[in-house]
Structure formats: C-alpha cells, structure tokens
Amino acid sequence: APRPLRSLSCFGPQDWLEKFRMSRETFFYVCNLLRPGLAPHSAHFHPALPLEQRVAVALWHLATNVEYQTLSPLFGVGPSTVQTCVREVSYAVVLLLKPLYLRLPNEKELENMVRIFRARWGFPHCIGALDSLHLPINPPLRLSTDYCNGQGWHSILTQATVDGLGQFWDVSTAFPGSMENSAVLESSRLWDFMGKAQKYVLLGDATYPLQDWILKPYQEDENLTQRQLQFNYRLKRAHSVIENAFLRLKARWQILLKCDDCSLELLPTLVLACCILHNVCEAHDNPFNEEWLEGTEPTELPKPCQPAPAAMEDGRAEQVRELMCQYFESCGEG
C-alpha cells in the first residue's frame, strides 16, 4: 500500500496543476477563504487530517474523478472520510466562495462586461452568452422518465451564463434532463434579472425564445439575406465563448463527466462548486492543460436541442435583431 501523504510540500508545480487544477498559491488562497466553513468537527473528520489535506482530497476527486478507494490510502483515511471531505468542501465552496466569484453583476459591472464582450467578440450591448449543460447521471428507477432527455439518455440539466472572458456569472442547476431550455429559463432568476436589465442582451441558440434581451440566430434556410447570414455568423462566433467555457469546466473538473456514483441530493452542490472553482482558476490565471480536454465530449451522448416554443417568442424582439443586422452591415465583414 502507498505510504500516506503527511504533507503537501512534496508536490512540484506540475503536480499541483494535475491533481488540484490550480497553482500552489491559489490552493492556499482557497484554503484560507474556506477556513471559517471547515472548522474541525470530530464527529465527521479524521482528527489527523488538517484543513489543507481535506481540501486537497476534495479537489483531487473533483479534478480527476479518481475513486474514493484509490484516494483514501494516499491520505491514510477510509473511503467514507474521503466522501465526507468531498461533500463538506463542496458545500463550503458554495457557501463562502459563491458570493465572491459567482453572483449577479451590479450596474457598474454590467457596463464593464459590455466593454469586454464587445472588445473580444465584436458584439455590442452584450453581457454574455447563455447555454445549457446536460451531465450524465444514473437516476433512481422511479425518476427515470423525468431525467430522460430528448436524446434518450439520463441527465441533470444546468443553465449557465458567462461573460466575454468565459467566466460564469449565473448558474441554475438541479433540473431534470427532460425539461426544455425555455422552461428552465422561465423558472430561473435570470428571467427576472434580465427582464429588468432592458438595455443589455444575452446570446442564445435555437433552444431559447427570441426576446428583446435574448438574441439567437435566424433559422437557417435558403431565404436568408446576406446580412442575416452575417448576423448568424457573428452571433455563433460570439456564442462559442460559453461552449468553450463548458469544455474547460468539464476538462478541469472531470467529476462532471460521469456523475453516476453521486447522489442526486449532492450533485447540484458539486456542479455549482465546480463552476465557482472554474472562475477562481480563470480569475487567477491558472494554466489550463489542453490535454485535459481529451474525452470530454463523448459522441455517444448527443446534446438535446429542442427548439423554443413559438408562443414564448417576443414579437418586438425582431426589431432588436434587425437593428443588429444593420449595425453589422455598417461595420463591414469580419
């Protein structure tokens, strides 16, 4: 059996990235922020496991999805202690880091987001891109139908919004895979928030309803004009910011690739914790290893893409889309 780790000091820079997805400095910064929520309570924790090692156990599992039985001898604890660490650290991340790293922006932040989005993606008045993420699960038999999505596999659905830098600023999770994106959107706080932030737009795809604050591509057919085609090109290019964010999220935190062993009760907290930790890594410029991307998009699990019901479309929004078409035409190609 491997000798238990008594200290994290044996890790080199590459070890920190591979095992915890963050630099040593970021790791200890996160530990200090989590300290108030991870006070030692003897009923739960192995008395010899310091806070830093509890965080290390949890991040190692979230990053690599290595089994509890494999991690436990490395830290000289039982598998149930590893499981407890993962649960407690995930809850602490959501409780203590969410207010700092994943919250709705204020007016000044919104204006800054518009500037960044326009500079990076060439799309005006835009504060982000909206999309959904289906994560494969193994639901209880009694809930099998609820969690079976439009492509015939079982999933839990997460709705997320990112800014122009690919950092999440709104995440709603725990929805059963059978729900459509438009229904999730209407039941989320984003619907109310954006309804009040009238002068800004989000970019979505065909699964979302056209609103004066959600722009989506024109339906592809032979009747599209040149400027409508140009609008579609611009929107899809800018919308790729969230597709890339989801790829990086799943590559960094590979627990999300296979949530079969995770309880449905804990899963929403795990998803939120991973989104928050993604933002921490991105905000602190922690390196991203492209090799982590291998195997993050399993082709046998095609993404559900049910178009939004026509009844949800806002007729006035067509004018906003037309104005954008005119704007891009006046800008020229690119």
Side-chain angles (χ1 to χ4, degrees):
R3 191 192 295 168
L5 287 165
R6 290 288 169 231
S7 164
L8 300 177
S9 59
C10 60
F11 292 135
Q14 207 49 41
D15 293 318
W16 287 96
L17 271 187
E18 292 306 315
K19 292 173 173 60
F20 312 123
R21 298 308 198 242
M22 55 183 68
S23 67
R24 183 180 186 279
E25 293 71 26
T26 305
F27 177 88
F28 283 103
Y29 165 79
V30 166
C31 286
N32 282 330
L33 289 177
L34 296 181
R35 202 170 295 281
L38 291 174
H41 20 279
S42 51
H44 287 142
F45 282 122
H46 192 284
L49 211 56
L51 176 130
E52 288 77 12
Q53 296 217 5
R54 283 181 262 154
V55 176
V57 168
L59 294 189
W60 197 331
H61 179 68
L62 295 178
T64 63
N65 209 3
V66 64
E67 293 180 342
Y68 296 147
Q69 291 85 341
T70 308
L71 269 182
S72 63
L74 292 176
F75 288 88
V77 296
S80 63
T81 301
V82 174
Q83 190 174 13
T84 300
C85 288
V86 171
R87 186 176 67 245
E88 300 271 331
V89 170
S90 297
Y91 277 113
V93 166
V94 173
L95 179 70
L96 296 165
L97 301 192
K98 190 169 181 282
L100 302 173
Y101 284 95
L102 180 58
R103 55 182 176 74
L104 292 174
N106 60 36
E107 187 59 40
K108 190 172 180 196
E109 289 166 332
L110 286 170
E111 288 168 10
N112 195 40
M113 286 158 70
V114 168
R115 280 194 293 275
I116 290 171
F117 207 96
R118 185 171 189 162
R120 285 191 76 130
W121 300 101
F123 217 101
H125 307 294
C126 185
I127 52 172
L130 168 70
D131 205 351
S132 66
L133 182 65
H134 282 264
L135 299 171
I137 59 161
N138 201 0
L141 208 52
R142 62 191 169 80
L143 296 173
S144 182
T145 311
D146 292 340
Y147 285 89
C148 187
N149 62 44
Q151 292 284 8
W153 49 283
H154 294 103
S155 61
I156 182 173
L157 175 58
T158 299
Q159 171 188 285
T161 313
V162 300
D163 62 17
L165 299 173
Q167 293 181 27
F168 298 102
W169 59 265
D170 185 68
V171 175
S172 299
T173 188
F175 298 100
S178 63
M179 266 183 93
E180 293 174 9
N181 283 357
S182 51
V184 170
L185 174 65
E186 213 172 9
S187 68
S188 70
R189 65 176 185 170
L190 186 69
W191 182 265
D192 298 320
F193 177 77
M194 289 302 297
K196 298 186 187 100
Q198 288 291 333
K199 59 185 176 177
Y200 304 114
V201 298
L202 290 174
L203 307 182
D205 60 19
T207 63
Y208 291 101
L210 187 66
Q211 301 284 311
D212 53 8
W213 54 270
I214 299 183
L215 296 180
K216 66 178 187 177
Y218 290 95
Q219 193 169 343
E220 298 280 352
D221 63 34
E222 65 277 6
N223 298 322
L224 288 188
T225 64
Q226 192 54 45
R227 70 181 187 178
Q228 287 172 334
L229 288 168
Q230 168 75 348
F231 171 84
N232 280 6
Y233 165 74
R234 293 273 201 149
L235 188 146
K236 287 175 181 175
R237 183 178 67 178
H239 189 264
S240 70
V241 67
I242 190 163
E243 295 153 29
N244 290 332
F246 280 155
L247 282 175
R248 289 166 78 92
L249 172 74
K250 291 186 291 181
R252 258 201 190 103
W253 309 109
Q254 299 203 358
I255 182 81
L256 301 178
L257 297 177
K258 193 168 177 287
C259 309
D260 293 8
D261 301 334
C262 188
S263 73
L264 272 180
E265 175 201 20
L266 178 61
L267 197 47
T269 302
L270 277 189
V271 173
L272 269 179
C274 290
C275 291
I276 293 161
L277 292 167
H278 163 94
N279 281 2
V280 171
C281 292
E282 296 282 327
H284 291 261
D285 290 325
N286 284 192
F288 180 85
N289 185 346
E290 299 291 328
E291 289 173 10
W292 298 337
L293 287 165
E294 289 168 20
T296 53
E297 284 292 270
T299 47
E300 70 274 14
L301 298 178
K303 187 181 174 184
C305 48
Q306 182 67 32
M312 275 186 79
E313 306 263 288
D314 180 351
R316 296 166 302 174
E318 197 53 74
Q319 292 173 290
V320 181
R321 195 157 63 168
E322 175 59 28
L323 283 169
M324 286 289 187
C325 282
Q326 290 173 20
Y327 169 79
F328 289 133
E329 190 178 44
S330 70
C331 291
E333 297 295 319

